Amino acid sequence: MNQNHEARQIALHRVYRHFKGNYYLVEALGQNADTQEEMVIYRPLYGQGDLWIRPLEEFLSPVDRVKYPDADQEYRFELVEIPSKAR
């Protein structure tokens, strides 16, 4: 993994915000059977909620500031704290 974001870790069963604004629930970590690359398994909290996978390194990567200079986040996906409505 790239040294710039190796200190970042994935929190399972937690919600992350994509830098474009949508929210996603991280379900699990996995491994590509052919390449052994670590993968993040997650689902969007909108639409059908289908499962998606993305390489861990990409999930943890910083936003491309050349392509998205006005992005509000430092990283592609950032953990968000959502307060519980339960008492």
Side-chain angles (χ1 to χ4, degrees):
M1 184 180 308
N2 186 316
Q3 199 174 33
N4 292 339
H5 48 268
E6 70 182 14
R8 295 189 69 219
Q9 306 226 347
I10 295 294
L12 298 180
H13 312 294
R14 301 288 296 278
V15 175
Y16 284 78
R17 181 181 184 271
H18 187 267
F19 76 95
K20 291 182 180 177
N22 287 320
Y23 293 88
Y24 300 84
L25 177 65
V26 170
E27 296 280 358
L29 295 176
Q31 215 169 24
N32 181 301
D34 294 327
T35 66
Q36 307 304 303
E37 182 178 19
E38 291 179 280
M39 307 296 279
V40 178
I41 302 161
Y42 63 101
R43 70 176 69 243
L45 297 178
Y46 61 90
Q48 299 297 315
D50 296 334
L51 284 175
W52 291 84
I53 62 170
R54 182 185 297 258
L56 176 64
E57 187 167 345
E58 183 181 316
F59 194 94
L60 295 175
S61 69
V63 173
D64 180 342
R65 291 296 172 183
V66 173
K67 193 171 180 181
Y68 302 101
D70 298 326
D72 293 336
Q73 293 183 187
E74 180 178 356
Y75 295 101
R76 180 181 297 272
F77 288 90
E78 292 185 2
L79 182 64
V80 293
E81 296 297 328
I82 299 175
S84 172
K85 296 289 184 179
R87 294 179 198 234

